Amino acid sequence: MTSAPPSGADGALEAEVDLLGALAYGELTGFLRLSQDAGSAPTLVQTAELGTLAVEEFQHYQLLSERLVELGADPQAAMRPFVAAVDAYHERTTPNDWLEGLVKAYVGEGIATDFYREIAAYVPAPTRDLVLRLLDETSGAEFVVGAVREATARDPRVAGRLALWGRRLVGEALSQAQRVAADRDSLAALLVTGGGAGTDLVAVGKIFSRITENHVRRMLRLGLTA
C-alpha cells in the first residue's frame, strides 16, 4: 500500500462504502454469470433453479446500491475499484462445463461470503446488519450440492476432476480476497485493526485460515476432496 490508511469518521465511512461497493459488484457479476449458466443447464428444472439464484443476486445488488446512496455515495463509483480484481478472478476461473460452473458458484461464492462477513463485523450496525443478512440469504446450496452429488454418483470419474477444480478455485479466490484487501487501505485497516488493540497480522492470518477451513467443509459437503 502506498498511502496511510484513512482514520476517524472519514475512514470509517470509506470502509463502509468500500465494503458495499465490493459486495455490490460481486453480486452484479454473480447475477450475470448465473444467468448465463442457467441457459446451459441440462433440464428446465435446473434452468429455473439457477434463474432463481440469479434473481437473488440482482436483488442483493439493488439493496446494496440503495444503502450506498443512503450513505451519500455513487454506487457506480463505489464498485469501480473492485472491477479489476473481480474480473481477473472470473477470467482465470472460466468453467469448462455446467458442473464446473455450479462448483464455482458454490465454492467461490462461499469464500467471498466468508471474507466479507469477517470485514462486516467491524462496520456500523445499519450496514453490518444489511451485509450479514444478505450473506446469509442465498438459498442455492442444497440445489448445487444435490446436482453435484448426483453427477458424481452417475460417473465417479467426475469427482476427481471437480476436486481439482475446487482446489484451483480456492487458490484463486483467496488471492482475489487478498488483492482486494491490499488494494483498498480502508478494508486492510479494518482487517488489521478493526478488532481493537489485540488485532494484528497474526489475527488476519487466522481469518484466512478460517476461510480455508470453511472451504474444506463445503467441498466435503459436495462429496469432493479438498
Side-chain angles (χ1 to χ4, degrees):
M1 288 174 282
T2 58
S3 61
S7 59
D10 289 343
L13 177 59
E14 183 177 343
E16 274 190 84
V17 170
D18 276 346
L19 173 60
L20 291 166
L23 279 168
Y25 190 66
E27 297 286 1
L28 181 59
T29 57
F31 159 71
L32 295 172
R33 291 176 187 281
L34 283 172
S35 298
Q36 292 173 346
D37 290 343
S40 62
T43 70
L44 289 176
V45 171
Q46 291 165 333
T47 296
E49 290 279 3
L50 282 180
T52 299
L53 294 180
V55 169
E56 284 185 1
E57 297 273 301
F58 192 74
Q59 290 172 339
H60 290 176
Y61 160 74
Q62 290 177 308
L63 290 170
L64 292 163
S65 295
E66 289 169 7
R67 178 60 184 156
L68 281 163
V69 171
E70 290 173 0
L71 292 173
D74 175 5
Q76 306 306 311
M79 290 189 290
R80 197 168 297 123
F82 307 99
V83 170
V86 174
D87 286 359
Y89 164 74
H90 286 302
E91 288 170 5
R92 291 194 298 266
T93 57
T94 301
N96 291 311
D97 58 23
W98 185 71
L99 279 174
E100 287 191 2
L102 282 185
V103 173
K104 178 181 175 180
Y106 182 60
V107 169
E109 180 75 12
I111 293 170
T113 294
D114 289 341
F115 175 65
Y116 290 119
R117 184 180 284 115
E118 295 279 358
I119 296 176
Y122 303 128
V123 299
T127 294
R128 181 180 67 244
D129 294 344
L130 171 65
V131 169
L132 294 180
R133 176 169 63 82
L134 295 185
L135 292 178
D136 289 337
E137 206 170 71
T138 303
S139 59
E142 294 301 327
F143 161 67
V144 173
V145 169
V148 171
R149 283 186 170 272
E150 181 182 340
T152 56
R154 284 197 309 268
D155 183 358
R157 293 173 298 178
V158 172
R161 174 171 66 84
L162 293 180
L164 289 173
W165 176 238
R167 293 184 195 118
R168 179 179 171 188
L169 288 171
V170 69
E172 294 288 357
L174 288 174
S175 294
Q176 179 209 357
Q178 290 165 346
R179 177 180 173 183
V180 166
D183 285 350
R184 302 302 294 175
D185 289 335
S186 63
L187 297 182
L190 276 183
L191 284 174
V192 175
T193 63
T199 307
D200 54 19
L201 292 177
V202 173
V204 174
K206 291 179 180 178
I207 287 172
F208 282 99
S209 292
R210 288 196 294 272
I211 292 172
T212 302
E213 290 166 3
N214 288 337
H215 165 73
V216 171
R217 284 192 285 270
R218 289 189 187 95
M219 291 290 285
L220 290 175
R221 192 177 177 198
L222 290 170
L224 306 173
T225 58

